[in-house]
Amino acid sequence: MAKVLTGDGWRLELPDGLISKPHKAWDYGSGAIARGWIGDAPVTVIVQTKQLRGGFNDWVRRVASHWLEQQPLRRLAVPGAGDAVRIDGYVEFDGLGAVDDREQCIAVCAKSRRRAVALTIRSRPEDAVQAELEPIVDSFELVGAEEG
């Protein structure tokens, strides 16, 4: 069973094992964080919004610049977005208790006009829950704004 989480211009579906609350990261305007469990695996989902001051591609490069390693960036279709890029890889973060603090990370950076929205999903690689995370990514959409 999934529950719908909405924010300032975005929407997605979360598994029931995750609990969300408002959260605003530095340099972002608004957002939400959801933490919890998918089976026995701890998972964190974060969505943040911001106004783009520069170009979308520059922002995506900045988001990806601190990752330990990543697959090639790839464009994807996000409903309501004029452009979107997915990043898959690994970040160093001591939040989920991953071996060597090496967390698996999925980021989807989407934009509509000058508004950017970042979806980030972190999990432990050793839990192998990638298939359970894909429905979250697939449900992500921008709402209430024109594409472009």
Side-chain angles (χ1 to χ4, degrees):
M1 187 72 162
K3 57 187 165 201
V4 175
L5 179 62
T6 60
D8 186 15
W10 57 268
R11 176 176 39 227
L12 58 78
E13 293 181 7
L14 292 174
D16 283 333
L18 301 179
I19 299 169
S20 65
K21 67 178 185 176
H23 173 74
K24 181 179 165 284
W26 180 83
D27 200 34
Y28 286 85
S30 66
I33 186 167
R35 293 183 175 132
W37 303 86
I38 296 177
D40 293 331
V43 173
T44 299
V45 177
I46 302 170
V47 183
Q48 298 292 317
T49 66
K50 72 181 298 167
Q51 289 298 114
L52 287 173
R53 292 183 200 98
F56 176 69
N57 292 329
D58 289 337
W59 174 62
V60 171
R61 279 191 290 277
R62 282 194 311 275
V63 169
S65 68
H66 301 286
W67 291 40
L68 295 172
E69 66 181 75
Q70 61 190 261
Q71 297 174 7
L73 308 182
R74 58 188 165 129
R75 294 272 195 270
L76 75 157
V78 170
D83 198 0
V85 174
R86 178 172 171 155
I87 310 165
D88 288 274
Y90 298 90
V91 296
E92 183 176 2
F93 199 86
D94 180 20
L96 301 174
V99 173
D100 296 327
D101 296 334
R102 185 180 169 90
E103 295 183 3
Q104 188 166 11
C105 191
I106 300 168
V108 176
C109 300
K111 78 163 189 119
S112 178
R113 303 224 178 263
R114 301 298 304 157
R115 182 169 198 73
V117 182
L119 164 65
T120 306
I121 306 171
R122 294 192 336 261
S123 63
R124 300 185 306 198
E126 56 268 26
D127 291 327
V129 293
Q130 184 71 24
E132 288 87 346
L133 304 177
E134 289 304 318
I136 301 170
V137 174
D138 293 343
S139 72
F140 181 53
E141 62 181 314
L142 303 189
V143 295
E146 296 177 28
E147 291 183 22

